[in-house]
Amino acid sequence: MSVLTTPRSTPSRGSDRKPSARENFSAWANRHRKWLFAAPAMIFVGVLIVFPLAWTLYLSLTDSQGSVRAASEFVGLQNYVTVLSDGERFWPAVARTLSFTGVALTCEVILGMCIALLLWRPFRGERWVRVAILLPLVATPVAVGMMWRLIFDPNIGFVNQVLGLVGIPPQPWLSGQDTALGTTIFMDVWQWTPMVVLILLAGLTSLSEEPDEAARMDGANAVQRFFFVTLPLMMPTVIVAILLRGIDALKTFDILYATKGKGGGSFHEVETLNVYAYGLSFDYNQYGLSSAVLILFFMIIIGTMWLLTMRKKAASK
Amino acid sequence: MKRRSIVKYAAFAAALSLGLTGCGGGSGSSDSKAAGTVRVTLANHVWTEGIKAAIPEFEKSTGLKVELTQLGEDQLSDQYNVKLNAGTDEIDVMMYRPLQEGKAFAKNGYLADLTSKVSQDAGWDWKDYQDGPVKASTVDGKVVGVPIITEREVLYYRKDLLKSAGLAVPKTMDELQAAAKTIAAASPDTAGFVARTGKSAAVTQFSSFLYSFGGDFVDASGKSAVGSDAAKKAYAFYGGLIKSYGPKNVSTDMSWPEAMAIFTQGKAAFYTEADSLYKNATDPAKSKVADNVGFAALPSGPAGSKPYNIPSWGLAVNKASNNQDNAWKFIQWATSKERTLAAQKAGVPGPRASVWADPAGTSTYPKDLAEAISVSAKNGVGHDRPEVVTVGKAREIVGTPIVSTITGADASTAADKASGEFQKFLDSEKK
């Protein structure tokens, strides 16, 4: 502790005494304290983010398969060529990842905004409604997936039985090739809209009342006030919500895996990039190819984040 | 003075932690804890439940301590992929699937060679093991595992439905199809036939149909055989049965839990599945039709009744473990004749011939199931999926025509396409 209590200590005037090792260390520590304080965080980032990323990048340039410890050869960009020219699994997975994220995000933001507006003004039983809305958020995605899988089962599922009561024929939901992706999007919306509501509600409550009142005095109706006053003021918050939720939605794995299993179903109907890379690693043990997919995926995420951050800056100006 | 001692302790702690990390990561060193502890990783299975209850016995007689990790099938695979890839010595005994992972694990050097160990103890008796399971646990002439659970495909059926329709238990595939058709037509809420439909999950159960129609995944010269006439007929039959007489709106992702649920909910008349899962159908707590479930050997196809007869799980020793002798002690105990008999009585068909020969070994089984098993054990084929290194990928390829046929595609076209892909896959594995 004495290191910090004697900052910038210098050897006493006129003394020829050599500084002790401890004093030397103390002086060195003081000179580099910004690095010393940041070191734990830097080590953390290095070990848990930079190293795995660099290792993945290295693996993506080799033909590693079977076991990562087995001998592998450097193959340059071969894996990237293979992946990028794969029209059967890779490109459909990219399309599914983007459409899953796009549709889920749009629904979540629109629905989230509507709910946030409803919750904005105080009302009776508000607390209970808020708790109810937040419930899906605290459930584990895998459990959510399993639950919906049972509910949507084509033969013994709850949904088809209820539909049967009102005379609607049973639908394939998760088991249909065309309906599976839509159904998983519905699950994602069910689980994550509350998070968007939370963010938007925080934004709404921090808005000042004056612009809205001024618009009301000028005779603007509720719809006009929302589109021309509230929404523009909310834009930075909306983009934060899109940014946070968007990155998460791009990476969705658990709901898809829990409902459709390896390969995203028998026809790969919900196979996104994440599910595809997982299958390449854990089912096929093709670590080189899988790493190439993950690096490309990483670039897609970074690209999307960059685009959204630019939008946020533009909106904040 | 005080500060100095703190520094001293800190330095000591740091050195100790570095040392321990070194031990944990290395493969040649050993730590004191490992010597008296056997670390065992098992799958969630009826066999595991039985062995778990008996572990105190083992601990008492050997003085060793067992540290048990129990995981679901998929999680188990993923754990092995991660941990064995990293060269962990934290697993001593591992429960694994000889036909799914055996070749890949042996090739990667994850499994210890048990050849000399299995032949040492005449009382434990390696010769007592059935040929199929032994073959599946041997890679390149080396024994790498000890089988613990065997499986054969049998026909589960509903006695009450057959009786009310005035039908006999089908003996041939044609009779099965006709009976499924009759029952499906008689009651619209009940499917005539149900079985696994998931691309990868269905492969193992489809395999018995493939063999019974005279086909196999690979021919005698090692080439893809999923495009053969026999295979095409088998695909068309299995897929067609589910498409025409299966549950309405059938999902193409069903593995055994989903298919079994349909059968045990009373929504299907016939179901082909592994015999080792029979308790799910006969246990009143799990099955609405427990009293009415009958069992029969797999109906004969053009090539006879040829179900698979395989070891679905085995125990192996992690090659990187520093505790291999104790690991072997555990395996020896867990697979002894007494333990195998106890497991078999609890509903887990075992791999030991002597236990099957002992009337006590089948005393708890429904009579018709025991008969079906004894028939299947004679005609059985020793594999239920392609015998390759990357089984996961191979299953997806050869399973595609199954789902295609279920959804109404032409079996022949789908089989030809799959055969081309499978040949490419086989070529790539040979490299």
Side-chain angles (χ1 to χ4, degrees):
Chain A
M1 286 302 110
S2 62
V3 173
L4 295 175
T5 51
T6 54
R8 293 173 197 197
S9 59
T10 46
S12 55
R13 215 172 349 131
S15 141
D16 291 336
R17 179 174 79 85
K18 271 193 174 176
S20 72
R22 194 163 63 82
E23 281 165 339
N24 265 340
F25 174 72
S26 151
W28 177 87
N30 273 315
R31 276 199 308 279
H32 297 94
R33 63 187 159 193
K34 69 175 177 189
W35 292 109
L36 273 181
F37 281 119
M42 279 161 62
I43 292 170
F44 182 83
V45 169
V47 171
L48 290 173
I49 298 174
V50 178
F51 172 72
L53 205 60
W55 181 249
T56 310
L57 187 64
Y58 162 74
L59 276 182
S60 76
L61 302 173
T62 69
D63 65 352
S64 170
Q65 57 178 323
S67 163
V68 276
R69 288 181 303 148
S72 56
E73 272 176 39
F74 189 78
V75 292
L77 295 175
Q78 182 56 48
N79 286 328
Y80 291 91
V81 174
T82 311
V83 167
L84 289 172
S85 56
D86 170 16
E88 233 172 90
R89 299 280 290 269
F90 179 75
W91 286 111
V94 172
R96 272 183 226 110
T97 309
L98 296 178
S99 53
F100 180 92
T101 309
V103 177
L105 202 56
T106 311
C107 297
E108 280 159 23
V109 171
I110 294 176
L111 206 62
M113 182 58 101
C114 295
I115 297 173
L117 286 172
L118 286 175
L119 294 180
W120 187 13
R121 307 279 177 224
F123 60 91
R124 252 178 88 118
E126 182 191 348
R127 259 203 353 222
W128 294 107
V129 175
R130 283 192 187 200
V131 168
I133 282 177
L134 291 183
L135 276 180
L137 202 58
V138 292
T140 320
V142 173
V144 168
M146 307 270 250
M147 177 188 84
W148 283 109
R149 187 178 161 161
L150 276 177
I151 295 176
F152 280 126
D153 186 281
N155 289 291
I156 46 179
F158 174 73
V159 173
N160 275 349
Q161 293 194 359
V162 170
L163 287 183
L165 293 179
V166 289
I168 299 173
Q171 302 297 314
W173 305 118
L174 275 171
S175 55
Q177 278 181 69
D178 309 322
T179 49
L181 192 64
T183 311
T184 51
I185 290 176
F186 165 81
M187 293 176 203
D188 193 79
V189 172
W190 179 84
Q191 180 159 37
W192 294 109
T193 303
M195 192 181 110
V196 180
V197 173
L198 273 187
I199 299 171
L200 296 182
L201 201 55
L204 280 175
T205 40
S206 65
L207 286 187
S208 86
E209 298 271 329
E210 285 97 22
D212 192 61
E213 271 168 24
R216 198 191 295 261
M217 298 289 277
D218 289 342
N221 64 26
V223 176
Q224 285 170 327
R225 288 201 318 272
F226 173 72
F227 280 107
F228 297 110
V229 180
T230 315
L231 193 57
L233 287 172
M234 281 287 287
M235 239 16 222
T237 318
V238 170
I239 291 177
V240 166
I242 293 179
L243 198 68
L244 289 175
R245 189 56 214 126
I247 296 166
D248 246 13
L250 270 175
K251 297 189 300 180
T252 303
F253 175 78
D254 16 30
I255 284 186
L256 304 176
Y257 188 77
T259 49
K260 297 291 282 181
K262 281 177 185 159
S266 281
F267 296 95
H268 310 301
E269 51 269 46
V270 302
E271 186 175 68
T272 58
L273 278 176
N274 240 347
V275 178
Y276 181 43
Y278 176 87
L280 281 175
S281 271
F282 286 94
D283 212 14
Y284 298 176
N285 298 116
Q286 289 180 322
Y287 304 110
L289 267 187
S290 168
S291 303
V293 170
L294 285 170
I295 292 290
L296 290 169
F297 187 25
F298 180 69
M299 283 158 63
I300 292 176
I301 293 182
I302 294 284
T304 322
M305 251 167 74
W306 179 75
L307 273 178
L308 285 169
T309 322
M310 297 304 280
R311 289 279 316 173
K312 181 170 180 276
K313 275 190 188 149
S316 311
K317 268 178 194 168
Chain B
M1 189 68 202
K2 210 166 197 181
R3 188 185 314 132
R4 197 176 214 168
S5 57
I6 290 171
V7 170
K8 229 163 80 183
Y9 279 126
F12 176 70
L16 192 73
S17 72
L18 278 177
L20 286 180
T21 332
C23 282
S27 55
S29 54
S30 66
D31 54 89
S32 57
K33 192 187 171 204
T37 308
V38 189
R39 285 162 297 191
V40 181
T41 304
L42 303 177
N44 290 338
H45 195 284
V46 202
W47 182 86
T48 303
E49 297 311 317
I51 216 75
K52 210 161 83 176
I55 279 176
E57 265 172 44
F58 172 74
E59 289 183 325
K60 208 172 155 195
S61 67
T62 56
L64 292 166
K65 203 179 159 317
V66 175
E67 218 173 86
L68 183 68
T69 309
Q70 203 179 329
L71 294 160
E73 219 170 281
D74 283 344
Q75 286 74 30
L76 190 78
S77 274
D78 292 352
Q79 277 263 331
Y80 287 156
N81 259 324
V82 174
K83 286 194 166 175
L84 300 175
N85 245 323
T88 185
D89 60 355
E90 286 168 15
I91 300 173
D92 298 324
V93 176
M94 48 198 269
M95 186 162 165
Y96 80 115
R97 292 172 291 179
L99 288 164
Q100 184 76 15
E101 295 137 347
K103 277 200 173 185
F105 282 6
K107 189 175 165 233
N108 293 342
Y110 297 161
L111 307 178
D113 181 1
L114 302 176
T115 317
S116 60
K117 288 197 163 82
V118 293
S119 51
Q120 266 167 11
D121 183 358
W124 176 77
D125 200 3
W126 179 234
K127 290 203 179 81
D128 188 23
Y129 279 80
Q130 294 170 346
D131 290 344
V134 166
K135 191 177 149 249
S137 316
T138 310
V139 180
D140 297 333
K142 288 179 189 158
V143 178
V144 292
V146 177
I148 47 177
I149 299 151
T150 62
E151 281 180 0
R152 288 137 300 266
E153 186 160 1
V154 294
L155 180 70
Y156 293 52
Y157 66 89
R158 284 273 301 282
K159 290 179 191 165
D160 54 335
L161 291 177
L162 253 68
K163 199 175 166 196
S164 63
L167 292 165
V169 180
K171 290 256 186 305
T172 65
M173 292 288 181
D174 290 337
E175 286 174 21
L176 172 66
Q177 193 175 31
K181 188 178 175 184
T182 311
I183 292 175
S187 52
D189 281 346
T190 313
F193 177 81
V194 70
R196 301 187 196 182
T197 58
K199 183 161 64 174
S200 197
V203 169
T204 50
Q205 309 310 305
F206 165 73
S207 71
S208 299
F209 287 79
L210 180 64
Y211 310 147
S212 301
F213 273 83
D216 203 332
F217 297 108
V218 174
D219 66 16
S221 60
K223 297 263 181 235
S224 159
V226 289
S228 68
D229 284 345
K232 284 175 182 172
K233 280 183 194 147
Y235 280 124
F237 184 83
Y238 185 90
L241 212 52
I242 294 171
K243 182 178 184 297
S244 308
Y245 315 119
K248 279 180 202 132
N249 270 310
V250 68
S251 151
T252 48
D253 293 320
M254 291 199 293
S255 184
W256 76 264
E258 294 83 15
M260 181 67 86
I262 291 177
F263 184 72
T264 52
Q265 290 287 311
K267 303 225 174 223
F270 293 105
Y271 173 37
T272 51
E273 186 54 79
D275 52 13
S276 59
L277 298 170
Y278 83 92
K279 282 230 157 163
N280 291 283
T282 56
D283 180 355
K286 293 178 183 168
S287 168
K288 280 189 184 171
V289 294
D291 294 339
N292 283 311
V293 177
F295 299 92
L298 191 83
S300 310
S305 167
K306 287 192 168 176
Y308 61 77
N309 177 22
I310 54 121
S312 47
W313 290 95
L315 292 179
V317 175
N318 173 15
K319 201 174 185 179
S321 152
N322 307 311
N323 199 13
Q324 299 198 4
D325 288 337
N326 287 332
W328 173 248
K329 265 186 210 162
F330 178 85
I331 294 183
Q332 218 174 2
W333 164 78
T335 58
S336 64
K337 284 178 183 167
E338 299 77 46
R339 288 261 26 108
T340 307
L341 177 64
Q344 192 155 309
K345 276 170 127 175
V348 183
R352 281 186 177 271
S354 66
V355 175
W356 283 109
D358 183 351
T362 48
S363 59
T364 56
Y365 284 62
K367 201 167 155 272
D368 51 353
L369 179 65
E371 271 166 29
I373 290 177
S374 74
V375 171
S376 310
K378 279 179 213 135
N379 313 333
V381 178
H383 58 105
D384 65 349
R385 60 200 86 186
E387 295 173 290
V388 292
V389 176
T390 315
V391 179
K393 190 168 187 180
R395 280 176 79 155
E396 285 206 354
I397 298 173
V398 302
T400 304
I402 304 175
V403 269
S404 304
T405 323
I406 293 172
T407 49
D410 177 46
S412 178
T413 322
D416 281 333
K417 186 165 178 273
S419 188
E421 274 178 48
F422 190 45
Q423 186 56 50
K424 251 196 262 168
F425 166 85
L426 291 171
D427 293 341
S428 74
E429 282 225 326
K430 275 190 194 134
K431 272 181 203 164

